[in-house]
Each structure stands twice: as structure tokens, then as C-alpha cells.
Amino acid sequence: MTHVSHELHAEFPEDAEILHGLKVGDPHFAKLADHYHDLNREIHRIEAGIEPASDARAEELKKERLSILDQVSAMISAAKAGA
């Protein structure tokens, strides 16, 4: 079980303002952030033993979460470059 926060604001604490701006100003980012949040909650429920899942399913979800983090990181970098 993990107690590490993987919320976007915890993953990118120095970019809170950019995250907020992207969430309210970019519908694609908002959808991506919402999907990330849902994945993160599902992974937490699996790790906490609340929701059953195979190891393969848990790993698949974690890989998807990492993929989204990569996309978010790229979007943050692009927002910084455009600022």
C-alpha cells in the first residue's frame, strides 16, 4: 500500500499556477487532468486493498498514469516557453 500522493499538484508543486491556468483554459488538458485523477484514485483503491485487481492490471494503470504525467510535463514546459 502506498501513502504517496500522486496528485498533479503534488507531482508539479512549483507549477501550481500553470496547472490551474491549463485546467481552466485548455479543454484537452482539463480532460487529461480529470482522467489522471480517476486513474490515480483507482490505483490507490487497488493498493489499499479496497478494489481487487490483478498485478497486470495494476501495472497497466500505473503505466497509463506515467504516460499522462509525461504529457502533462510536456504541456507545462510548452506553457512556460510560451509565457
Side-chain angles (χ1 to χ4, degrees), residues 12-23:
F12 303 99
E14 67 284 353
D15 297 314
E17 189 174 318
I18 292 172
L19 286 170
H20 177 73
L22 286 168
K23 186 136 188 184

Side-chain angles (χ1 to χ4, degrees), residues 4-81:
V4 177
S5 175
H6 290 280
E7 297 297 328
L8 287 177
H9 67 274
E11 294 290 332
F12 303 99
E14 67 284 353
D15 297 314
E17 189 174 318
I18 292 172
L19 286 170
H20 177 73
L22 286 168
K23 186 136 188 184
V24 298
D26 183 337
H28 172 69
F29 181 86
K31 185 175 179 180
L32 194 63
D34 288 344
H35 182 57
Y36 177 87
H37 177 76
D38 293 342
L39 273 175
N40 196 45
R41 290 291 173 217
E42 184 174 356
I43 292 166
H44 178 72
R45 287 190 308 269
I46 290 167
E47 290 178 340
I50 296 168
E51 185 175 311
S54 68
D55 289 344
R57 174 69 178 150
E59 288 305 310
E60 177 185 318
L61 292 171
K62 289 178 183 180
K63 287 178 184 178
E64 187 175 356
R65 179 173 66 185
L66 284 174
S67 174
I68 292 173
L69 280 177
D70 287 344
Q71 293 175 62
V72 168
S73 180
M75 292 175 89
I76 289 170
S77 293
K80 286 180 178 179

